[in-house]
Amino acid sequence: MEKREQLYSGKAKSVYTTDDADVMVLEFRDDTSAFDGKKVEQLDRKGMVNNKFNAFVMQKLEAAGIPTHFIKLLSDTESAVKRLEMIPIECVVRNVAAGSICRRYGVQEGMDLNPPTFEFFLKNDALGDPMVNEYHIDSFGWATADQVARAKELTFAANDVLKAMFDQAGMVLVDYKLEFGMYKGELVLGDEFSPDGCRIWDKETRKKLDKDRFRQGLGGVIEAYEEVGRRLGISFD
Ligand code: UDP
């Protein structure tokens, strides 16, 4: 497989075509952003850490029967993935209250959400990724009812796998965001799963080990990502 031209460059990843129309290369860069791109920095090793972290999680999910776009690692910072037609919706599951849900509903950070709650957001930085519901998605034609139902089912299925995985490694999976796309008529998990798109706390101390360290200027961002990875058994050497 041969990497060809850059198709798209997002806030933290770049996407390249290959000589196979069904396969793309994802390059994880060191760029880190928050607040819809308003805070941007380069964090050494981040591309490599997130690429390997994502590969590990995608393979776990695939093994649990959740279809993903991941094919294989190509280098420290690159992975081959299936080329999906992306749906412009973010699916968020929350096991514990943190971030925007606390601001929106005035709930205390750290409150257990039982059952976990689910939210859709529209992927649109200019609008600040507003929360949307299933009626909006249907009326505006962002996805079909079948795609929405399947995305919800797969996002909750991922919660069962990942909550247990983090718990066994002494961590709490607070919340996370997934994005899906279509591949040959099937809804498939795309984008990435890394500490950039989820919240992970130490189970005992509740120390934040995810991108909130960057958002809140707490420092030790990549050290925390690597710590999470090491506890899960990922090697970053
Ligand atoms: N998230 C993300 N990309 C976004 C918005 C949210 O990956 O554009 C993730 C975020 O890291 C967290 C979860 O989705 O794990 C819920 O985010 P929240 O709505 O609390 O927004 P935030 O407080 O991060 O702005």
Side-chain angles (χ1 to χ4, degrees):
M1 194 205 50
E2 190 185 300
K3 187 171 159 187
R4 296 239 167 111
E5 78 264 24
Q6 192 178 94
L7 198 60
Y8 172 80
S9 190
K11 293 189 290 276
K13 297 190 293 297
S14 301
V15 181
Y16 297 83
T17 57
T18 69
D19 54 341
D20 183 337
D22 290 332
V23 178
M24 300 197 311
V25 173
L26 277 191
E27 182 201 2
F28 290 74
R29 307 193 315 270
D30 287 345
D31 299 311
T32 311
S33 74
F35 313 120
D36 298 316
K38 289 184 204 85
K39 176 175 178 175
V40 183
E41 268 174 47
Q42 289 248 318
L43 295 177
D44 209 31
R45 291 168 64 80
K46 174 170 170 278
M48 180 274 292
V49 168
N50 277 5
N51 184 40
K52 292 183 180 175
F53 197 108
N54 176 65
F56 178 86
V57 173
M58 289 281 172
Q59 287 171 103
K60 280 268 180 232
L61 294 174
E62 193 83 52
I66 296 166
T68 80
H69 69 160
F70 182 78
I71 300 172
K72 63 175 179 181
L73 277 173
L74 295 174
S75 72
D76 271 3
T77 57
E78 295 167 308
S79 289
V81 298
K82 293 172 188 157
R83 184 171 184 166
L84 309 186
E85 188 139 349
M86 294 306 290
I87 290 169
I89 297 293
E90 302 181 335
C91 297
V92 170
V93 163
R94 301 175 187 271
N95 296 306
V96 175
S100 73
I101 203 171
C102 297
R103 298 192 289 274
R104 230 179 307 126
Y105 305 125
V107 296
Q108 194 74 34
E109 181 180 87
M111 179 187 173
D112 274 326
L113 301 175
N114 195 9
T117 197
F118 187 102
E119 295 168 341
F120 292 112
F121 295 90
L122 178 66
K123 261 185 86 69
N124 186 321
D125 275 348
L127 297 177
D129 290 352
M131 188 165 75
V132 295
N133 66 32
E134 293 182 37
Y135 290 89
H136 299 132
I137 297 173
D138 196 12
S139 300
F140 289 109
W142 293 317
T144 66
D146 281 355
Q147 288 169 333
V148 166
R150 182 71 174 145
K152 219 155 68 171
E153 180 186 20
L154 292 177
T155 305
F156 274 120
N159 199 37
D160 293 338
V161 178
L162 299 178
K163 217 165 70 167
M165 181 184 86
F166 283 105
D167 181 70
Q168 279 157 23
M171 294 172 281
V172 182
L173 178 60
V174 171
D175 59 28
Y176 59 92
K177 181 265 298 176
L178 300 182
E179 293 178 26
F180 295 88
M182 296 303 288
Y183 183 76
K184 299 182 191 285
E186 186 191 19
L187 194 89
V188 169
L189 176 61
D191 192 51
E192 68 178 278
F193 190 103
S194 75
D196 269 4
C198 65
R199 289 191 169 92
I200 304 158
W201 295 349
D202 180 86
K203 208 153 86 175
E204 299 306 320
T205 65
R206 302 233 135 188
K207 180 182 169 188
K208 294 179 189 344
L209 301 169
D210 54 69
K211 196 157 107 177
D212 271 350
R213 301 203 70 78
F214 176 71
R215 292 190 191 96
Q216 299 175 4
L218 300 173
V221 180
I222 299 311
E223 291 78 359
Y225 287 23
E226 287 184 283
E227 163 75 19
V228 175
R230 266 195 303 273
R231 288 199 207 177
L232 295 174
I234 304 170
S235 161
F236 294 116
D237 304 324

